[in-house]
Structures are given as structure tokens and as C-alpha cells.
Amino acid sequence: MSEEEKKIIIDEDWKSQVEAEKQQAAEAPEQPAAATAYPPASFMTLVSQLMTEAMVALGQIPAPGATEPSLNLDHAKFVIDMLDMLQEKTAGNLDDGEAAAMKDLLHQLKLAFVAVRQGPPSADTGEGAAEPKIVTP
């Protein structure tokens, strides 16, 4: 083997490239942090947000940042009533898919509300236990 094959070549130019990039970054105007990507505004997005809010209030899923679900039946009833009112006010203005989704969603939320309100069946009577504790904000 010749000496040329054993020679290690070190690229010294990378140091100047890094310095130039640092200088450009320091001179460039500061860009704001990337904004959160939101879904497009739509009727179903609004309904989905309200549905999620009702599920949180019913203790079906934990609130954002919480580790355990909490129950707030007053808030759940309010959100379900809002969705009911929205269905009534938009009657005849929704496409078939939106109307069917709204009807099904309200039915499911109302069933969940009744089930949570009645509580789990007690072992001795088979009926609902005492009303669950309502957590208020």
C-alpha cells in the first residue's frame, strides 16, 4: 500500500460553514413558533367538540391534562341540551349524513347520561346505586 492510501483527509471547511450558518441564524428575524394545526371549521367539527366535552363531563374520558375522569352531570346535561337545541335549529339545513350523525350522537349521549345518573347496579337489588357525586368546577 502506498502512503497516499493511508493518508487521512480532514475537511477544515466545515468549521467556516458552521460559523456562517450561526451568523445567518443570528441575523435572521425570529420566526414565531409553528401554530397548532386546527381542522377546518365545519358543522361536524363543532358537534365533535361538544360531544367530547359531554363525554368528559360524563366521566367517560379524562379532561385534557387530567389523569382520572371526573363526573359533572350538570355540565353534561347542559352540553347535551346545547346539542339538542343545535339539532332543532339546524333541522332541514343539514345533509343526510350530518343529520343522521347528529341524531345518533344525541341518542348515544342521552343513553350514557341516564346510565351514569343511575349508577352501577347494586349487587343485592340489581337496581341503580345512589346518585353519583357531582364534581363542580
Side-chain angles (χ1 to χ4, degrees):
M1 294 191 141
S2 69
E3 283 185 37
E4 288 181 31
E5 289 179 34
K6 294 180 183 180
K7 199 180 226 184
I8 298 175
I9 300 173
I10 300 174
D11 184 11
E12 294 290 329
D13 191 42
W14 70 271
K15 291 180 182 178
S16 60
Q17 268 185 316
V18 169
E19 285 301 318
E21 288 173 4
K22 281 183 182 179
Q23 191 174 22
Q24 284 177 345
E27 292 172 359
E30 196 168 311
Q31 300 275 338
T36 303
Y38 291 102
S42 70
F43 178 76
M44 290 312 296
T45 300
L46 174 65
V47 169
S48 176
Q49 286 180 321
L50 290 170
M51 177 202 63
T52 302
E53 189 175 338
M55 289 176 64
V56 168
L58 288 169
Q60 302 296 306
I61 56 174
T67 56
E68 294 291 320
S70 63
L71 185 63
N72 185 336
L73 287 177
D74 289 336
H75 188 72
K77 183 180 182 320
F78 171 76
V79 176
I80 292 168
D81 288 346
M82 291 288 288
L83 282 163
D84 231 352
M85 177 273 309
L86 193 58
Q87 181 185 34
E88 182 182 314
K89 295 289 185 179
T90 58
N93 292 319
L94 301 177
D95 65 36
D96 292 341
E98 291 170 334
M102 186 69 146
K103 181 180 176 184
D104 183 52
L105 167 79
L106 269 168
H107 178 74
Q108 295 298 322
L109 286 175
K110 288 176 182 180
L111 287 176
F113 181 85
V114 170
V116 169
R117 186 173 175 97
Q118 289 177 346
S122 61
D124 50 320
T125 64
E127 294 184 21
E131 188 170 322
K133 181 179 177 185
I134 298 175
V135 176
T136 54

